[in-house]
Amino acid sequence: MQQNEEGAEGRAKTKDYSRESRLSFRKFAEHQMRREFKEEAIEKCRPHVMAFGKCAEESGLMVVFKCRQFSKDLNGCMATHNSNEAWDKYKEDHKDELEKRTIKSKNP
């Protein structure tokens, strides 16, 4: 199971990197920050992710019914930490970093 997750993550990151080459400098920097923001949200919800994963592993095909509460908890946590409002606050808090990345991207 661990290898599949790593493989899927690797493919997703490769897809992200290929997409980055088509983004403008500002969008590129913002895209990188958004990815970091999402990774932080996942880390904050790690206990919920692990609990749901364990339940899903134990439940098999009945995961939809047996793990419903774990799923709700995970979705609630992600909704809190990965919401548009949280993203706007994160961008505001890291405005200087965004500007530095934008300038850095323009001048390699």
Side-chain angles (χ1 to χ4, degrees), residues 10-44:
R11 286 191 301 274
K13 286 182 180 182
T14 301
K15 185 177 178 180
D16 279 346
Y17 292 135
S18 66
R19 180 175 185 259
E20 288 172 358
S21 64
R22 299 186 307 261
L23 297 173
S24 68
F25 295 121
R26 173 91 179 162
K27 292 292 182 187
F28 176 75
E30 196 170 309
H31 178 70
Q32 282 183 322
M33 285 185 70
R34 181 70 179 200
R35 188 173 344 123
E36 291 168 6
F37 170 73
K38 285 183 178 184
E39 288 173 4
E40 285 181 23
I42 290 170
E43 282 304 313
K44 290 176 183 175

